[in-house]
Amino acid sequence: MATLSREVVSEVLSKLGLSELNSGVSTGPDGWSPTEGREVIESISPIDGKPIAKVALANQEDYERVIKEAQKGFEYWREVPAPKRGQIIREIGNRLREYKDVLGKLVTIEVGKIYQEGTGEVQEMIDISDFALGLSRQLYGLTIQSEREHHRLYEQWLPLGPIGVITSFNFPVAVYSWNAFIAAVCGDTMVWKPSSSAPLSAIAVQKIIEEVVKEFGLPNGIFNLIIGKGSTVGEWMINDKRLPLISFTGSIPMGKRVAEKVAKRLGKTILELGGNNAAIVMEDANFVIAKKAILFGAVGTAGQRCTTTRRLLLHEKVYDKFLSELVELYKQVKVGNPLEEGVLCGPLIDKNAVQVYKNAIEEIKKQGGKILVGGNVIEEENGYYVEPTIVEATEDMEIVKRETFAPILYVIKIKNIDEAIRIHNSVPQGLSSAIFTNNLKYEEKFLSAAGSDCGIANVNTSTSGAEIGGAFGGEKETGGGRESGSDAWKGYMRRQTVTINWGDDLPLAQGIKFGLDFGEDKKEEK
Ligand code: UN1
């Protein structure tokens, strides 16, 4: 049975400034709400099913205060030159370098991903802070040739306002930084509602950010944290006109609700919802690369990434050989305490997730799937461990179209590249995809207009583990949003097209003549 030493827990908590009972609401170093009179939740470690510490949730009064502070903070922050805002993010990145190990450990303790992945997530925050710093000098707009004499036409990008960032448990610190660090250099202020399954990681991040806020003498209201339930705080946010943008990471059903409510008030959304990512392995694939990538993609984070490899589309010529080798690898995967070296698969997030896995296994059997390895819950007194599972499936099985947030990989036999792409694109989700081949024709077809319909398409590398430099997100029911690198920053700003007439006349666009004889602009002579 996996045990989690309470000394380790206390040490991690105290290094990050957390205590047994923590406020879940803050607008800045002196802007923490009291814990009294508020509903209190316990954050449970999935490693042993025991509480780590408590968090007091936001009430409506807290919410109003946070929104008002975020609005006030915006009035200040939007006028700070972007490269100066970038310096603040750089400093936050430097703090994260110092806290990398301990924050990574807290992520492991709170959500159960292995320590390598916990610290990897903090590295992702550090990388995005570097990216954001460079970006702060590159928020470029276009200049456009005007059709009118003595006119200048250009576009500029301006801050949007206080924005809502709603994140899920599986990347409890990195996903916030993809949004917040970019949005911060863009001049927005943040209202962050993290998952109530990972509140302590969020409080730790807020405290690290506040060290920098304090050191630079910044006002409250730039980085705001509000921990509460989706049914209260989440609902208030999506219905609140004072938040012009909601960036939401989570499930497709919740994403649909967010989209509907925000659209109703004509607000903007960035949606990063579920995936159902496939890896195509062609007959000429490098087996070692493909196996490494699929193992990481399907078993990493216990199958709880939105980029997790959920389907393996395997060419008939190599089907038996590749599959038996993969099954052998699965048998060697150590499931257990994610803090222990050598363990590759930690627990699922909670009891409910284990139930979802169990139900999926039942469904798989009913629908005719054949379990080749795994398929069982690892019965323990505490903790939420399941076996990484490989299922021989067919494309018509209903469950294959769904995202089950657990380490279950469906294998489907394919005859050729056209069939592979057809089956690949036959699911409602469109986040990430991969092909394993050295054949230029296969690869190019996969990347063509008739190829993968996903936001991310990889060749000879895993569906999961994207770098921060690219825009991250997907199509179809994945929601269409883009976060992180490339020009995703544009989603956090408002675009303004500007026309300046510096001439002595008023030529109208499209050559329209309009008006009477106004004569010359003559100033009164003194
Ligand atoms: C998520 O699961 O919500 O590409 C994000 C990846 C990570 C991010 C996953 N960089 O797997």
Tab-separated table of all heavy atoms in Angstrom, residues 304-359:
chain	number	residue	atom	x	y	z
A	304	GLN	N	-4.525	10.908	-17.542
A	304	GLN	CA	-5.366	12.062	-17.190
A	304	GLN	C	-4.874	13.366	-17.816
A	304	GLN	O	-4.970	14.428	-17.211
A	304	GLN	CB	-5.455	12.212	-15.674
A	304	GLN	CG	-6.110	11.021	-14.987
A	304	GLN	CD	-6.007	11.132	-13.491
A	304	GLN	OE1	-6.981	11.323	-12.785
A	304	GLN	NE2	-4.787	11.036	-12.993
A	305	ARG	N	-4.315	13.286	-19.007
A	305	ARG	CA	-4.012	14.509	-19.762
A	305	ARG	C	-5.062	14.640	-20.845
A	305	ARG	O	-5.551	13.624	-21.353
A	305	ARG	CB	-2.666	14.411	-20.480
A	305	ARG	CG	-1.479	14.484	-19.581
A	305	ARG	CD	-0.233	14.706	-20.424
A	305	ARG	NE	0.941	14.524	-19.591
A	305	ARG	CZ	2.087	15.183	-19.747
A	305	ARG	NH1	2.218	16.056	-20.734
A	305	ARG	NH2	3.103	14.969	-18.953
A	306	CYS	N	-5.354	15.862	-21.229
A	306	CYS	CA	-6.274	15.987	-22.365
A	306	CYS	C	-5.580	15.537	-23.637
A	306	CYS	O	-6.236	15.256	-24.627
A	306	CYS	CB	-6.821	17.395	-22.460
A	306	CYS	SG	-5.553	18.608	-22.455
A	307	THR	N	-4.249	15.434	-23.602
A	307	THR	CA	-3.495	14.985	-24.777
A	307	THR	C	-3.147	13.494	-24.716
A	307	THR	O	-2.423	12.994	-25.576
A	307	THR	CB	-2.180	15.774	-24.878
A	307	THR	OG1	-1.516	15.691	-23.609
A	307	THR	CG2	-2.409	17.223	-25.250
A	308	THR	N	-3.617	12.798	-23.709
A	308	THR	CA	-3.325	11.359	-23.557
A	308	THR	C	-3.643	10.585	-24.834
A	308	THR	O	-4.677	10.826	-25.468
A	308	THR	CB	-4.156	10.794	-22.382
A	308	THR	OG1	-3.664	11.364	-21.176
A	308	THR	CG2	-4.071	9.274	-22.298
A	309	THR	N	-2.767	9.630	-25.178
A	309	THR	CA	-3.043	8.748	-26.323
A	309	THR	C	-4.118	7.751	-25.906
A	309	THR	O	-3.907	6.937	-24.998
A	309	THR	CB	-1.772	7.985	-26.747
A	309	THR	OG1	-0.705	8.922	-26.912
A	309	THR	CG2	-1.993	7.225	-28.050
A	310	ARG	N	-5.273	7.836	-26.542
A	310	ARG	CA	-6.391	6.963	-26.156
A	310	ARG	C	-6.656	5.899	-27.214
A	310	ARG	O	-7.297	4.898	-26.945
A	310	ARG	CB	-7.665	7.783	-25.925
A	310	ARG	CG	-7.448	8.939	-24.965
A	310	ARG	CD	-8.678	9.316	-24.174
A	310	ARG	NE	-8.311	10.390	-23.238
A	310	ARG	CZ	-7.794	10.200	-22.043
A	310	ARG	NH1	-7.599	8.969	-21.594
A	310	ARG	NH2	-7.460	11.226	-21.265
A	311	ARG	N	-6.188	6.152	-28.437
A	311	ARG	CA	-6.440	5.178	-29.508
A	311	ARG	C	-5.134	4.906	-30.253
A	311	ARG	O	-4.380	5.840	-30.545
A	311	ARG	CB	-7.493	5.729	-30.479
A	311	ARG	CG	-8.858	5.962	-29.838
A	311	ARG	CD	-9.835	6.595	-30.838
A	311	ARG	NE	-9.402	7.915	-31.248
A	311	ARG	CZ	-9.537	8.404	-32.482
A	311	ARG	NH1	-10.093	7.683	-33.434
A	311	ARG	NH2	-9.117	9.626	-32.761
A	312	LEU	N	-4.897	3.628	-30.525
A	312	LEU	CA	-3.735	3.233	-31.307
A	312	LEU	C	-4.261	2.593	-32.588
A	312	LEU	O	-4.955	1.567	-32.538
A	312	LEU	CB	-2.885	2.241	-30.501
A	312	LEU	CG	-1.798	1.473	-31.240
A	312	LEU	CD1	-0.795	2.426	-31.882
A	312	LEU	CD2	-1.065	0.536	-30.274
A	313	LEU	N	-3.974	3.227	-33.716
A	313	LEU	CA	-4.426	2.708	-35.003
A	313	LEU	C	-3.225	2.025	-35.642
A	313	LEU	O	-2.275	2.676	-36.087
A	313	LEU	CB	-4.970	3.851	-35.875
A	313	LEU	CG	-6.029	4.736	-35.178
A	313	LEU	CD1	-6.525	5.845	-36.095
A	313	LEU	CD2	-7.220	3.903	-34.683
A	314	LEU	N	-3.269	0.695	-35.635
A	314	LEU	CA	-2.076	-0.104	-35.886
A	314	LEU	C	-2.191	-0.864	-37.210
A	314	LEU	O	-3.181	-1.575	-37.444
A	314	LEU	CB	-1.940	-1.074	-34.692
A	314	LEU	CG	-0.690	-1.881	-34.503
A	314	LEU	CD1	0.575	-1.037	-34.594
A	314	LEU	CD2	-0.738	-2.581	-33.135
A	315	HIS	N	-1.166	-0.704	-38.035
A	315	HIS	CA	-1.194	-1.336	-39.364
A	315	HIS	C	-1.200	-2.867	-39.251
A	315	HIS	O	-0.452	-3.436	-38.451
A	315	HIS	CB	0.013	-0.864	-40.181
A	315	HIS	CG	-0.139	-1.158	-41.631
A	315	HIS	ND1	0.111	-2.398	-42.174
A	315	HIS	CD2	-0.553	-0.377	-42.658
A	315	HIS	CE1	-0.126	-2.363	-43.476
A	315	HIS	NE2	-0.534	-1.136	-43.795
A	316	GLU	N	-2.005	-3.481	-40.092
A	316	GLU	CA	-2.204	-4.942	-39.990
A	316	GLU	C	-0.903	-5.737	-40.146
A	316	GLU	O	-0.734	-6.789	-39.543
A	316	GLU	CB	-3.264	-5.425	-40.986
A	316	GLU	CG	-2.927	-5.145	-42.428
A	316	GLU	CD	-4.049	-5.564	-43.386
A	316	GLU	OE1	-5.153	-5.881	-42.921
A	316	GLU	OE2	-3.796	-5.548	-44.605
A	317	LYS	N	0.025	-5.189	-40.947
A	317	LYS	CA	1.277	-5.935	-41.199
A	317	LYS	C	2.152	-6.053	-39.948
A	317	LYS	O	2.960	-6.973	-39.846
A	317	LYS	CB	2.084	-5.230	-42.292
A	317	LYS	CG	1.648	-5.588	-43.684
A	317	LYS	CD	2.731	-5.239	-44.708
A	317	LYS	CE	2.153	-5.329	-46.090
A	317	LYS	NZ	2.601	-4.228	-46.947
A	318	VAL	N	2.028	-5.082	-39.049
A	318	VAL	CA	2.874	-5.138	-37.839
A	318	VAL	C	2.032	-5.328	-36.581
A	318	VAL	O	2.542	-5.262	-35.460
A	318	VAL	CB	3.743	-3.849	-37.705
A	318	VAL	CG1	4.797	-3.812	-38.794
A	318	VAL	CG2	2.886	-2.591	-37.719
A	319	TYR	N	0.756	-5.546	-36.799
A	319	TYR	CA	-0.202	-5.567	-35.686
A	319	TYR	C	0.211	-6.522	-34.560
A	319	TYR	O	0.397	-6.107	-33.414
A	319	TYR	CB	-1.588	-5.945	-36.228
A	319	TYR	CG	-2.698	-5.808	-35.219
A	319	TYR	CD1	-3.386	-4.610	-35.064
A	319	TYR	CD2	-3.075	-6.887	-34.417
A	319	TYR	CE1	-4.412	-4.486	-34.143
A	319	TYR	CE2	-4.104	-6.767	-33.486
A	319	TYR	CZ	-4.766	-5.563	-33.355
A	319	TYR	OH	-5.770	-5.442	-32.442
A	320	ASP	N	0.389	-7.777	-34.886
A	320	ASP	CA	0.649	-8.774	-33.834
A	320	ASP	C	1.962	-8.499	-33.111
A	320	ASP	O	2.033	-8.527	-31.883
A	320	ASP	CB	0.667	-10.188	-34.424
A	320	ASP	CG	-0.723	-10.592	-34.887
A	320	ASP	OD1	-1.704	-10.030	-34.345
A	320	ASP	OD2	-0.844	-11.438	-35.796
A	321	LYS	N	2.992	-8.229	-33.903
A	321	LYS	CA	4.322	-8.059	-33.318
A	321	LYS	C	4.355	-6.803	-32.414
A	321	LYS	O	4.770	-6.861	-31.255
A	321	LYS	CB	5.355	-7.930	-34.439
A	321	LYS	CG	6.783	-7.885	-33.951
A	321	LYS	CD	7.747	-8.058	-35.136
A	321	LYS	CE	9.206	-8.077	-34.775
A	321	LYS	NZ	9.726	-7.275	-33.761
A	322	PHE	N	3.871	-5.679	-32.968
A	322	PHE	CA	3.925	-4.432	-32.205
A	322	PHE	C	3.091	-4.542	-30.928
A	322	PHE	O	3.511	-4.156	-29.842
A	322	PHE	CB	3.431	-3.259	-33.055
A	322	PHE	CG	3.660	-1.918	-32.401
A	322	PHE	CD1	4.841	-1.227	-32.620
A	322	PHE	CD2	2.715	-1.349	-31.545
A	322	PHE	CE1	5.083	-0.001	-32.010
A	322	PHE	CE2	2.945	-0.125	-30.929
A	322	PHE	CZ	4.133	0.544	-31.166
A	323	LEU	N	1.919	-5.115	-31.091
A	323	LEU	CA	1.006	-5.194	-29.952
A	323	LEU	C	1.579	-6.091	-28.850
A	323	LEU	O	1.517	-5.741	-27.663
A	323	LEU	CB	-0.352	-5.714	-30.431
A	323	LEU	CG	-1.530	-5.480	-29.509
A	323	LEU	CD1	-1.615	-4.034	-29.054
A	323	LEU	CD2	-2.845	-5.866	-30.204
A	324	SER	N	2.147	-7.226	-29.221
A	324	SER	CA	2.668	-8.109	-28.167
A	324	SER	C	3.843	-7.428	-27.459
A	324	SER	O	4.001	-7.564	-26.240
A	324	SER	CB	3.016	-9.492	-28.698
A	324	SER	OG	4.051	-9.381	-29.629
A	325	GLU	N	4.646	-6.679	-28.203
A	325	GLU	CA	5.760	-5.964	-27.553
A	325	GLU	C	5.239	-4.870	-26.607
A	325	GLU	O	5.787	-4.656	-25.526
A	325	GLU	CB	6.682	-5.354	-28.604
A	325	GLU	CG	7.487	-6.405	-29.346
A	325	GLU	CD	8.473	-5.823	-30.359
A	325	GLU	OE1	8.846	-4.639	-30.233
A	325	GLU	OE2	8.864	-6.556	-31.268
A	326	LEU	N	4.176	-4.209	-27.040
A	326	LEU	CA	3.601	-3.150	-26.192
A	326	LEU	C	2.994	-3.744	-24.913
A	326	LEU	O	3.156	-3.205	-23.811
A	326	LEU	CB	2.545	-2.370	-26.982
A	326	LEU	CG	2.053	-1.074	-26.354
A	326	LEU	CD1	3.170	-0.032	-26.246
A	326	LEU	CD2	0.893	-0.465	-27.146
A	327	VAL	N	2.311	-4.851	-25.068
A	327	VAL	CA	1.718	-5.532	-23.907
A	327	VAL	C	2.823	-5.917	-22.911
A	327	VAL	O	2.682	-5.723	-21.697
A	327	VAL	CB	0.881	-6.767	-24.343
A	327	VAL	CG1	0.524	-7.637	-23.143
A	327	VAL	CG2	-0.382	-6.315	-25.076
A	328	GLU	N	3.937	-6.420	-23.440
A	328	GLU	CA	5.067	-6.778	-22.561
A	328	GLU	C	5.548	-5.559	-21.780
A	328	GLU	O	5.840	-5.643	-20.582
A	328	GLU	CB	6.232	-7.363	-23.384
A	328	GLU	CG	6.088	-8.839	-23.695
A	328	GLU	CD	5.546	-9.661	-22.534
A	328	GLU	OE1	6.172	-9.660	-21.453
A	328	GLU	OE2	4.463	-10.284	-22.688
A	329	LEU	N	5.640	-4.428	-22.470
A	329	LEU	CA	6.069	-3.193	-21.797
A	329	LEU	C	5.098	-2.806	-20.687
A	329	LEU	O	5.491	-2.414	-19.587
A	329	LEU	CB	6.155	-2.032	-22.793
A	329	LEU	CG	7.414	-1.916	-23.645
A	329	LEU	CD1	7.280	-0.738	-24.599
A	329	LEU	CD2	8.645	-1.709	-22.755
A	330	TYR	N	3.823	-2.889	-20.989
A	330	TYR	CA	2.796	-2.535	-20.004
A	330	TYR	C	2.947	-3.371	-18.731
A	330	TYR	O	2.713	-2.899	-17.629
A	330	TYR	CB	1.388	-2.728	-20.598
A	330	TYR	CG	0.753	-1.455	-21.120
A	330	TYR	CD1	1.353	-0.734	-22.157
A	330	TYR	CD2	-0.442	-0.961	-20.599
A	330	TYR	CE1	0.765	0.431	-22.646
A	330	TYR	CE2	-1.038	0.206	-21.081
A	330	TYR	CZ	-0.435	0.887	-22.109
A	330	TYR	OH	-0.998	2.035	-22.582
A	331	LYS	N	3.329	-4.648	-18.932
A	331	LYS	CA	3.458	-5.539	-17.770
A	331	LYS	C	4.589	-5.087	-16.850
A	331	LYS	O	4.622	-5.431	-15.673
A	331	LYS	CB	3.678	-6.985	-18.237
A	331	LYS	CG	2.408	-7.600	-18.814
A	331	LYS	CD	2.622	-9.054	-19.213
A	331	LYS	CE	1.351	-9.626	-19.828
A	331	LYS	NZ	1.643	-10.772	-20.706
A	332	GLN	N	5.526	-4.335	-17.419
A	332	GLN	CA	6.653	-3.866	-16.595
A	332	GLN	C	6.385	-2.523	-15.909
A	332	GLN	O	7.191	-2.057	-15.112
A	332	GLN	CB	7.893	-3.697	-17.467
A	332	GLN	CG	8.449	-5.009	-18.003
A	332	GLN	CD	9.424	-4.740	-19.144
A	332	GLN	OE1	10.221	-3.821	-19.068
A	332	GLN	NE2	9.335	-5.530	-20.193
A	333	VAL	N	5.280	-1.869	-16.273
A	333	VAL	CA	5.011	-0.534	-15.706
A	333	VAL	C	4.693	-0.658	-14.218
A	333	VAL	O	3.830	-1.441	-13.814
A	333	VAL	CB	3.827	0.143	-16.435
A	333	VAL	CG1	3.376	1.396	-15.699
A	333	VAL	CG2	4.223	0.488	-17.867
A	334	LYS	N	5.428	0.127	-13.441
A	334	LYS	CA	5.184	0.098	-12.002
A	334	LYS	C	4.111	1.134	-11.653
A	334	LYS	O	4.271	2.330	-11.947
A	334	LYS	CB	6.498	0.433	-11.281
A	334	LYS	CG	6.708	-0.389	-10.044
A	334	LYS	CD	8.115	-0.233	-9.528
A	334	LYS	CE	8.068	-0.177	-8.021
A	334	LYS	NZ	9.305	0.241	-7.429
A	335	VAL	N	3.041	0.664	-11.045
A	335	VAL	CA	1.973	1.558	-10.597
A	335	VAL	C	2.144	1.725	-9.090
A	335	VAL	O	2.389	0.744	-8.391
A	335	VAL	CB	0.580	0.941	-10.864
A	335	VAL	CG1	-0.533	1.896	-10.448
A	335	VAL	CG2	0.421	0.551	-12.323
A	336	GLY	N	2.030	2.917	-8.581
A	336	GLY	CA	2.148	3.069	-7.135
A	336	GLY	C	2.405	4.500	-6.724
A	336	GLY	O	1.991	5.443	-7.416
A	337	ASN	N	3.122	4.641	-5.612
A	337	ASN	CA	3.373	5.956	-5.036
A	337	ASN	C	4.172	6.829	-6.007
A	337	ASN	O	5.316	6.525	-6.330
A	337	ASN	CB	4.159	5.776	-3.729
A	337	ASN	CG	4.307	7.081	-2.984
A	337	ASN	OD1	4.210	8.164	-3.569
A	337	ASN	ND2	4.541	6.996	-1.685
A	338	PRO	N	3.573	7.927	-6.471
A	338	PRO	CA	4.221	8.738	-7.503
A	338	PRO	C	5.481	9.460	-7.019
A	338	PRO	O	6.219	10.018	-7.837
A	338	PRO	CB	3.130	9.740	-7.885
A	338	PRO	CG	2.226	9.796	-6.705
A	338	PRO	CD	2.256	8.438	-6.093
A	339	LEU	N	5.713	9.440	-5.699
A	339	LEU	CA	6.941	10.059	-5.184
A	339	LEU	C	8.122	9.094	-5.262
A	339	LEU	O	9.268	9.488	-5.130
A	339	LEU	CB	6.740	10.512	-3.730
A	339	LEU	CG	5.914	11.777	-3.523
A	339	LEU	CD1	5.597	11.957	-2.046
A	339	LEU	CD2	6.615	13.011	-4.064
A	340	GLU	N	7.804	7.814	-5.464
A	340	GLU	CA	8.856	6.792	-5.502
A	340	GLU	C	9.500	6.731	-6.875
A	340	GLU	O	8.797	6.732	-7.886
A	340	GLU	CB	8.218	5.430	-5.223
A	340	GLU	CG	8.707	4.755	-3.979
A	340	GLU	CD	7.845	3.547	-3.688
A	340	GLU	OE1	7.749	2.667	-4.558
A	340	GLU	OE2	7.234	3.539	-2.589
A	341	GLU	N	10.821	6.641	-6.880
A	341	GLU	CA	11.511	6.544	-8.158
A	341	GLU	C	11.168	5.211	-8.829
A	341	GLU	O	11.008	4.195	-8.145
A	341	GLU	CB	13.013	6.652	-7.942
A	341	GLU	CG	13.646	7.303	-9.135
A	341	GLU	CD	15.002	7.891	-8.813
A	341	GLU	OE1	15.166	8.515	-7.753
A	341	GLU	OE2	15.865	7.683	-9.650
A	342	GLY	N	11.061	5.236	-10.132
A	342	GLY	CA	10.773	3.994	-10.857
A	342	GLY	C	9.287	3.791	-11.114
A	342	GLY	O	8.910	3.048	-12.012
A	343	VAL	N	8.444	4.461	-10.326
A	343	VAL	CA	6.999	4.357	-10.566
A	343	VAL	C	6.658	5.224	-11.776
A	343	VAL	O	7.095	6.371	-11.872
A	343	VAL	CB	6.199	4.819	-9.318
A	343	VAL	CG1	4.728	5.023	-9.650
A	343	VAL	CG2	6.350	3.802	-8.193
A	344	LEU	N	5.906	4.671	-12.721
A	344	LEU	CA	5.545	5.437	-13.924
A	344	LEU	C	4.089	5.873	-13.909
A	344	LEU	O	3.695	6.763	-14.650
A	344	LEU	CB	5.783	4.601	-15.186
A	344	LEU	CG	7.231	4.320	-15.577
A	344	LEU	CD1	7.291	3.599	-16.916
A	344	LEU	CD2	8.040	5.609	-15.658
A	345	CYS	N	3.295	5.208	-13.091
A	345	CYS	CA	1.865	5.515	-13.087
A	345	CYS	C	1.375	5.666	-11.647
A	345	CYS	O	1.387	4.703	-10.875
A	345	CYS	CB	1.113	4.387	-13.799
A	345	CYS	SG	-0.638	4.706	-13.986
A	346	GLY	N	0.973	6.881	-11.319
A	346	GLY	CA	0.443	7.150	-9.984
A	346	GLY	C	-1.049	6.862	-9.949
A	346	GLY	O	-1.595	6.221	-10.852
A	347	PRO	N	-1.714	7.335	-8.902
A	347	PRO	CA	-3.153	7.084	-8.771
A	347	PRO	C	-3.986	8.005	-9.664
A	347	PRO	O	-3.486	9.001	-10.169
A	347	PRO	CB	-3.407	7.442	-7.309
A	347	PRO	CG	-2.377	8.489	-7.004
A	347	PRO	CD	-1.158	8.109	-7.789
A	348	LEU	N	-5.267	7.669	-9.801
A	348	LEU	CA	-6.225	8.607	-10.394
A	348	LEU	C	-6.562	9.652	-9.335
A	348	LEU	O	-6.244	9.479	-8.160
A	348	LEU	CB	-7.485	7.865	-10.838
A	348	LEU	CG	-7.308	6.864	-11.987
A	348	LEU	CD1	-8.652	6.220	-12.330
A	348	LEU	CD2	-6.729	7.524	-13.223
A	349	ILE	N	-7.254	10.692	-9.743
A	349	ILE	CA	-7.447	11.834	-8.842
A	349	ILE	C	-8.316	11.512	-7.618
A	349	ILE	O	-8.040	11.976	-6.516
A	349	ILE	CB	-7.976	13.081	-9.603
A	349	ILE	CG1	-8.021	14.319	-8.707
A	349	ILE	CG2	-9.336	12.836	-10.242
A	349	ILE	CD1	-6.707	14.865	-8.284
A	350	ASP	N	-9.384	10.719	-7.814
A	350	ASP	CA	-10.260	10.449	-6.664
A	350	ASP	C	-11.086	9.180	-6.870
A	350	ASP	O	-10.978	8.514	-7.901
A	350	ASP	CB	-11.158	11.665	-6.355
A	350	ASP	CG	-11.960	12.116	-7.566
A	350	ASP	OD1	-12.180	11.293	-8.478
A	350	ASP	OD2	-12.361	13.292	-7.622
A	351	LYS	N	-11.904	8.907	-5.889
A	351	LYS	CA	-12.766	7.710	-5.906
A	351	LYS	C	-13.668	7.687	-7.132
A	351	LYS	O	-13.874	6.658	-7.751
A	351	LYS	CB	-13.688	7.773	-4.668
A	351	LYS	CG	-13.357	6.743	-3.650
A	351	LYS	CD	-14.483	6.652	-2.626
A	351	LYS	CE	-13.890	6.097	-1.366
A	351	LYS	NZ	-14.012	6.889	-0.184
A	352	ASN	N	-14.201	8.844	-7.436
A	352	ASN	CA	-15.108	8.941	-8.561
A	352	ASN	C	-14.412	8.544	-9.871
A	352	ASN	O	-14.981	7.847	-10.715
A	352	ASN	CB	-15.661	10.378	-8.646
A	352	ASN	CG	-16.671	10.498	-9.750
A	352	ASN	OD1	-17.595	9.693	-9.840
A	352	ASN	ND2	-16.469	11.475	-10.623
A	353	ALA	N	-13.154	8.977	-10.012
A	353	ALA	CA	-12.396	8.636	-11.226
A	353	ALA	C	-12.198	7.124	-11.325
A	353	ALA	O	-12.219	6.554	-12.422
A	353	ALA	CB	-11.053	9.361	-11.227
A	354	VAL	N	-12.011	6.466	-10.184
A	354	VAL	CA	-11.853	5.013	-10.174
A	354	VAL	C	-13.171	4.363	-10.632
A	354	VAL	O	-13.174	3.409	-11.415
A	354	VAL	CB	-11.447	4.497	-8.766
A	354	VAL	CG1	-11.430	2.977	-8.731
A	354	VAL	CG2	-10.082	5.056	-8.381
A	355	GLN	N	-14.276	4.929	-10.172
A	355	GLN	CA	-15.579	4.409	-10.566
A	355	GLN	C	-15.796	4.573	-12.074
A	355	GLN	O	-16.304	3.661	-12.746
A	355	GLN	CB	-16.691	5.119	-9.768
A	355	GLN	CG	-18.054	4.451	-9.841
A	355	GLN	CD	-18.019	2.967	-9.448
A	355	GLN	OE1	-17.445	2.590	-8.417
A	355	GLN	NE2	-18.605	2.106	-10.297
A	356	VAL	N	-15.377	5.706	-12.597
A	356	VAL	CA	-15.506	5.954	-14.040
A	356	VAL	C	-14.682	4.915	-14.813
A	356	VAL	O	-15.131	4.364	-15.829
A	356	VAL	CB	-15.051	7.403	-14.383
A	356	VAL	CG1	-14.891	7.616	-15.879
A	356	VAL	CG2	-16.045	8.420	-13.809
A	357	TYR	N	-13.486	4.608	-14.323
A	357	TYR	CA	-12.632	3.586	-14.947
A	357	TYR	C	-13.336	2.219	-14.904
A	357	TYR	O	-13.423	1.524	-15.908
A	357	TYR	CB	-11.293	3.544	-14.208
A	357	TYR	CG	-10.370	2.391	-14.559
A	357	TYR	CD1	-9.450	2.495	-15.597
A	357	TYR	CD2	-10.392	1.199	-13.826
A	357	TYR	CE1	-8.586	1.438	-15.905
A	357	TYR	CE2	-9.542	0.143	-14.124
A	357	TYR	CZ	-8.635	0.266	-15.162
A	357	TYR	OH	-7.782	-0.771	-15.458
A	358	LYS	N	-13.858	1.896	-13.735
A	358	LYS	CA	-14.550	0.605	-13.556
A	358	LYS	C	-15.716	0.474	-14.536
A	358	LYS	O	-15.882	-0.552	-15.184
A	358	LYS	CB	-15.137	0.544	-12.137
A	358	LYS	CG	-14.324	-0.258	-11.161
A	358	LYS	CD	-15.162	-0.362	-9.891
A	358	LYS	CE	-14.518	-1.204	-8.834
A	358	LYS	NZ	-15.166	-1.013	-7.543
A	359	ASN	N	-16.515	1.537	-14.593
A	359	ASN	CA	-17.670	1.525	-15.499
A	359	ASN	C	-17.224	1.356	-16.947
A	359	ASN	O	-17.860	0.639	-17.722
A	359	ASN	CB	-18.471	2.825	-15.391
A	359	ASN	CG	-19.093	2.997	-14.021
A	359	ASN	OD1	-19.131	2.054	-13.214
A	359	ASN	ND2	-19.568	4.205	-13.728
